Amino acid sequence: MRSLWPSIEPLLDGVTKPARYIGGELGALTPEHRPGAVSWLLIYPDTYEIGLPNQGLQILYELLNERPDALAERAYAPWVDMEAAMRAAGVPLFSLENHLPATDFDVLAFNLSAELVYTNVLNLLDLAGLAVRSAERSAADPLVLAGGHCAFNPEPLADFIDAFVLGDGEEVVGEITEVIGSWRAQGSERQALLEALASLDGVYVPSLYEVRYAGDALAEVVPASPAAPAEVRKRTIADLAAWPYPKAQLVPLTEVVHDRLNVEVFRGCTRGCRFCQAGMVTRPVRERPGEQVREMVRAGLARTGYDEVALTSLSTADFSSIEETVRAIVGGECGDQQVSVSLPSLRVDAFTVATATEIARARRTGLTFAPEGGTWRMRRVINKLIREEDLYGAVEAAFANGWRRVKLYFLIGLPTEQDEDVLGIAALARRCVEIGRAYHRSPTVVASVGGFVPKAQTPFQWCRQDTVEELRRKINLLKEACHKVRGLSLRWHDPEASVVEGLASRGDRRMGAVIERVWRAGGTFQEWSERFDMATWAEALAAEGLSFDAVAYRARDEDETLPWDHLSAGLHKDFLWSDWQDALAAVAVEDCRWTPCYDCGACTGAGLEHVVASPVPPAGGSQGTGQDLSRGDRVPVRFTAGVGTR
Amino acid sequence: MTERLRVRFVKLGKVRFTSHRDVARMWERAVRRSQLPVAASQGFNPRPLLAFGLALPTGAESLAEYLDITVVDGAAVVPLDQLARDLSAGLPVGVEVAALGWVTGDAGSLQEQVTSCSWDLEVRGVRASELARRVEQLLGAPSVPVQRERKGRAVDDDLRPAIRSLSVTPRQQDCAGGGSVWLQAELATRPRGVRPRELADALGADVVLGRARRTQQWIEHGGERREPLGMGAGLGTAIAAHAWERAS
């Protein structure tokens, strides 16, 4: 064990934000590397500021360090200036705790939260001093693992990663540790380790599968070893209450995103938004008991000194105990000091705004809603069942309660989208500004527009993606429609980045060579607009005989083999297909937490159930449950200008 | 009745790579954890009333950083040696309280009061004798011109008036040693402060600045020079040595 700190320290005077590389956070451990303990390096392949708050990584960090047979340290992607300094000085990728070289670890485990970081994964393997391709690494090299939402189509990284983990990591990291421990004790070949890992539920070892093509099309991905199951199913923890982690959330010494206490209130989501991979792959819903949430908030605030807590989930206003919990926190039951609460992913209705009002007594700057679609028809297609009256009610409540800025998230390039759906975004945003004028002289509405990227294991996995040109044309339509509307500002995501994300989200194993080419051409940090380079991707695709048309812009048939067909997020393929057909017909489905099961497969197939404390939908029950969907496009007349000058 | 508590603290070791803003956030969290009855600012977004002194450049160490905390009720504050321990326990390794004391109401803010700072500067690239020659030259010069950027424009400034004293430390014995020479400097904060790096550059292009450590801050008033808060009963030196051990 040799600390690289003496070689790292001299580099830090010459780089931006050197505090990214020092470790020392509150909650950080300095585990002792000892014989018999499997050492994990948990890597987030983006900058420290983005990666540090990641809750999944922090949960595994604690769980592994609690085990007598394991230990874990962390690493993040050094920014380009630090990487250059490290390469010039011969310093490899290092851990933040003991500043040890990555190759001192038994396992390098990557968190894959977004597709555009894939080139960073290769870069970090290389910076560690390893061959990027699994086939070129030996038994003496660390085992390279990856998990996270992107692992539900792991094929683009299949040539670089030894094994992927699908689903919740809490249990399986322990099983992997034991497999590695006993493999090491026996001193057998790498192949034996891979086969033993493949026998674990939720672990996919791509090298044990053969990929067959029929011409240019993917024919099948089949086991090439008796150790490899025909289908790998994701892991799911049944009860979040049994996993009150992180117990000692890391408090960074320097500024990061989401710099606050984060407490996960539930995992999974059954609202059924058809574009949302996170909602589809994390089912069923598993709530944490309200009392446990409050205790975690209490202990967390006292330990960290934070004055802000986020109650995290995919739709926190749906948490059964949301009202008691918010009341307890703002009422001082979780600490004597003033604490602000943030609720990411707000549901859109007036009830939610009332909750938000209660918690934002002091800081009332901006409120964000995500209607996603510009017209009621479009929102039925994507199953984001926000009626016009809910949205305008929410916006009016927000302005009436003192907010001056409302931010609205939308997607363009959605299936069946017509220009009138796109223009509906502008109409809706303009109307929100008008509502605001009744309460403030200069209300602000920000409409933020992203290009839709179809994702694996969702009903939209068969859908064609809009071309760059088509997305640009739609953005221009919106620019014209929003032009010179005082108080309305339009923001949009780069269409080229959306399309490249689409290559990685639905590509098959052949995409690996493209990713490698882009990395070799210097294309790291592609999710950073100043580093993204479309030309490099286009060249790499062409060099591999692939195209945007074949991977991104093309709709798939029902009987086409998808690159992830041998992997299961628990959802039946026929459920996904029928949901896709419903989408095309603009038919909505309700949230199954409070309505009968329609057998998506997430619960029934795994012997699980939703863990939801409340037997009835939340007050305000938006998104279809118990609502009259026939009048979703009605605009209530009382929201015309001049009303409500309270 | 609000009262002002002055804290002297050290910043040593790895944590020196955090910025002035980072240090402010660390203190906000540590103060909340300590349950000190700190006063809050007015307005939409109330913050605890913490007033920091001169910013320390990112990467520099210090034995003499200062912070004023406005407390709501001085009588409710725990004994100061207890408070010093509570605060240090909530701060990262390398940042520790060296002294604590009450400030009388009419004293100005740290930013207004402090007139100069003493520094230990590690220098590489030149031998001690050569460095001593250049120091003499610099001190003898009527002016030391430097180009700075202010509001996006290049401005000509003179470093010389702000250099109160400068000398090569004879036979420095320091754990960071090894092939380097140390300078001792006292640099004025007004009208414009001199950064250690600017001083190193003024000594020659081949002079490489290593560690920079602020050792003291001074308030000069009516010909008298004193520190904003003395170390008091050797507490500071003891803590500093201890912090140094833990942080490096």
Side-chain angles (χ1 to χ4, degrees), chain A residues 113-168:
Chain A
S113 302
E115 291 84 355
L116 288 176
V117 303
Y118 287 179
T119 55
N120 281 9
V121 172
L122 272 62
N123 196 44
L124 292 168
L125 289 172
D126 181 66
L127 191 58
L130 296 171
V132 296
R133 292 191 167 259
S134 310
E136 292 162 24
R137 293 191 296 261
S138 76
D141 291 326
L143 183 73
V144 179
L145 304 181
H149 290 179
C150 293
F152 284 99
N153 175 24
E155 290 303 287
L157 287 181
D159 290 339
F160 314 106
I161 303 290
D162 298 323
F164 292 91
V165 172
L166 308 186
D168 296 334

Side-chain angles (χ1 to χ4, degrees), chain A residues 446-486:
Chain A
V446 180
S448 177
V449 178
F452 167 63
V453 182
K455 296 283 164 92
Q457 320 277 2
T458 70
F460 288 173
Q461 64 186 358
W462 290 279
C463 167
R464 62 171 289 278
Q465 185 174 3
D466 260 0
T467 62
V468 170
E469 294 70 30
E470 189 64 2
L471 289 170
R472 282 214 183 103
R473 190 186 66 79
K474 288 173 178 175
I475 290 167
N476 283 332
L477 281 179
L478 281 173
K479 278 199 240 177
E480 270 171 47
C482 295
H483 185 57
K484 287 197 176 157
V485 179
R486 199 164 51 86

Side-chain angles (χ1 to χ4, degrees), chain A residues 293-305:
Chain A
V293 170
R294 293 188 283 276
E295 182 47 39
M296 288 173 76
V297 172
R298 213 173 353 253
L301 290 174
R303 193 185 68 83
T304 60

